[in-house]
Amino acid sequence: QVQLVESGGGLVQPGGSLRLSCTASGRIFSINAMGWYRQAPGKERELVATTTSGGSTNYADSVKGRFTISRDQAKNTVYLQMNSLKPEDTAVYYCNAQIARAGWSFSTYWGQGTQVTVSS
């Protein structure tokens, strides 16, 4: 079984910073990609940032220049450094991973989510 666990959410003032982390555990043969998505109340879940095992990254336009995704492959952990936070960033943030438990067949896994609230 594979489990993704997020941490690092909380309440911050506009302009503040937070660092989210997500660790994958269980039966893992290979992780092709990991990333972060978020969902605000009444809104659709949207991509925030992703990174592949090859090192490529992708960011939503709304967070580019403010957020940085990084990955420690040895620890099966992905991070999201969030700077210059805005009230519009308030959402539940979910970790996502493409994981192969055996061979090269990848499946999608999701974490339970961590709340980020940006408010004065």
Side-chain angles (χ1 to χ4, degrees), residues 44-61:
E44 297 181 348
R45 185 174 298 187
E46 64 177 353
L47 180 146
V48 178
T50 60
T51 183
T52 69
S53 60
S56 64
T57 58
N58 183 43
Y59 295 91
D61 289 341

Side-chain angles (χ1 to χ4, degrees), residues 3-113:
Q3 184 179 24
L4 303 181
V5 179
E6 305 105 327
S7 64
L11 173 65
V12 297
Q13 294 184 336
S17 298
L18 284 174
R19 191 189 192 201
L20 307 182
S21 64
C22 171
T23 298
S25 62
R27 182 184 175 187
I28 299 173
F29 176 76
S30 179
I31 300 178
N32 182 53
M34 300 186 77
W36 294 93
Y37 292 71
R38 67 186 182 186
Q39 187 168 23
K43 304 293 184 180
E44 297 181 348
R45 185 174 298 187
E46 64 177 353
L47 180 146
V48 178
T50 60
T51 183
T52 69
S53 60
S56 64
T57 58
N58 183 43
Y59 295 91
D61 289 341
S62 60
V63 307
K64 191 173 184 179
R66 299 187 297 120
F67 292 8
T68 302
I69 189 170
S70 61
R71 180 178 170 185
D72 186 336
Q73 298 193 59
K75 297 181 178 180
N76 292 330
T77 299
V78 65
Y79 305 93
L80 185 68
Q81 179 66 47
M82 304 185 293
N83 299 325
S84 301
L85 283 162
K86 305 175 181 179
E88 304 91 272
D89 297 317
T90 296
V92 176
Y93 285 69
Y94 296 91
C95 180
N96 171 272
Q98 300 291 320
I99 297 175
R101 299 174 63 191
W104 302 104
S105 298
F106 294 93
S107 298
T108 299
Y109 296 88
W110 292 92
Q112 81 286 351

